[in-house]
Amino acid sequence: MNKKSVAMMNAARAYSLEDVRVEEMPLPQLEPGDIRVQVSVCGVCSSDAMDWYVSRKVPVVLGHEPVGIVHEVTPEVGDLDVGDRVFFHHHVPCLTCRLCQRGLYTSCRRFRETSLDPGGFAEFVRVPAEIVRVDVLKLPDEVSDEAGAFIEPLACSLRAFGKIDLLPGVSVWVIGAGPMGLLNVRLARYLGAEPIVVTDPVAIRREYAEGIGADVALDPGAADFDEKMSEATGGWGAEKVIVMPGAVDAIEHGLAHAAPGGVVLVYTPTPPEATVAYRPHDLYFKEVTITHSYSAGPIETRDALDLLASGEFEVEDLITHRFGLDGVGEALRMAKTHDDSLRAVIYPHGLGVEVKAI
Ligand SMILES: [Zn+2]
Ligand SMILES: [Zn+2]
């Protein structure tokens, strides 16, 4: 094919977290079973801004929380049509291996091998056949594009909450009140947890947490922290601890204040070389469990969509910033610290441009 005849599109390609360039690239071409989606909006995740993770992948088009309009389908695609408004996942399991049979979809070897082409911070994305078969969901009218951009993050939270068996009336401690921490505070409230304690060193984030349903928001560095934590949990410590930052000190802090019989859930990966020191003696006699939750599978994405469609769970108010592709660098800077923002979303076709079927 004459190269010049290949249609082009724009995408934001990261060469590092500090160097993101909007570049032209060929419109991704489809293989049998694939679809191409015109991206309406894509959320920016803190994990897009983890140095150790991004430095392994650069140059890369990030963005894994997208929704869009189906732009082209191949004949092998059954139940999707051009013009459908969809969420599409960036990873899917094989559904047949031993791990998948046990429901450990995100541990499936195929899961991390599957991906979008190129990524959500692009005008168009090729969704490979394997993903089309397992985790592309049509959006009902009651789920807006911006709410749809929360399907992936909310699915991750639903998976995490499933792992810690969150029943009404248990105490929850969310360490870190960034946008995902706040989403988890809201989910804990929705599921009936009580009390909900949040810790964050940044005062404005503690205020957000209280505004969103936390009973107590504490500064983890305060001199009277131990006393306050004990007071907030009736002297028991927190029964379910959700550690948001992928940081050793946060995990250690969680382990130190978990209640007897409590669970400490590590929500975000640490850098590969990080190690956590703990005293088995203490955890043994308190029977404290440490567990992890990685990403979300096709069951949780459907559950997340259902929850959003129910109208009982608000998410769009967590969006504080909206950018076109030229704002991806700024959005990643914000996502790295969340000192001055909650969630940012990217509109690859530009702010105010209505994306509709072409
Ligand atoms: Zn994410
Ligand atoms: Zn599998």
Side-chain angles (χ1 to χ4, degrees), residues 5 122 217 335:
S5 72

Side-chain angles (χ1 to χ4, degrees), residues 43-48 64-65 90 152-153 156 180 295 343:
V44 180
C45 176
S46 315
S47 76
D48 291 322
H64 60 264
E65 301 172 354
H90 59 302
E152 195 275 347
C156 294
M180 285 308 292
S295 195
R343 184 157 285 260

